[in-house]
Amino acid sequence: ANAHAQYKQRIVDAGVADTTLTRIFGPEWYDVTTRSLRNRIVREWEGKPQPPPLDPQAPTIGHSQLGGQVVPMPKFSALLPTPGTEGDFDEMCMVAGESSGLVHAVEPAGDVVRKMAEEAEALIQKWAGAR
């Protein structure tokens, strides 16, 4: 994934209860529900009735590189941390599914698919032999 190493590590470190539904990120996704890692900003707003208002003067929490350009990330930005991102990761949107608690390492996709295929083949062989 084209994600920052710290973002990937936070997913690896997450437990099954470390994500939650939130509507705080925008303006890029304003008023859209996402499942995100519980970092400081998500915990701070968890359980509050309204997402924060759009603020064109919001403080900058970091910068990301998109299309060769440095792009400021305002507080509550929905931009995800990519390899060129710098800033306060506890303030950034880090979408992650409930299955993040099952991730134990960052591995190349090809290795993951190969391992799944080998495990599936072993199960097929096992079930075929049980008949």
Side-chain angles (χ1 to χ4, degrees), residues 95-117:
V95 295
E98 292 176 288
S99 63
S100 61
L102 301 173
V103 176
H104 303 295
V106 176
E107 301 176 65
D111 292 352
V112 173
V113 171
R114 198 170 9 270
K115 182 178 174 182
M116 289 173 58

Side-chain angles (χ1 to χ4, degrees), residues 46-106:
E46 202 166 12
K48 291 187 178 180
Q50 296 290 331
L54 289 175
D55 181 1
Q57 302 302 318
T60 300
I61 59 167
H63 295 84
S64 194
Q65 299 209 9
L66 297 172
Q69 301 289 323
V70 176
V71 178
M73 297 172 75
K75 188 168 183 138
F76 303 112
S77 173
L79 295 177
L80 301 176
T82 59
T85 300
E86 295 178 357
D88 186 349
F89 287 82
D90 274 321
E91 292 281 325
M92 293 182 190
C93 178
M94 294 190 189
V95 295
E98 292 176 288
S99 63
S100 61
L102 301 173
V103 176
H104 303 295
V106 176

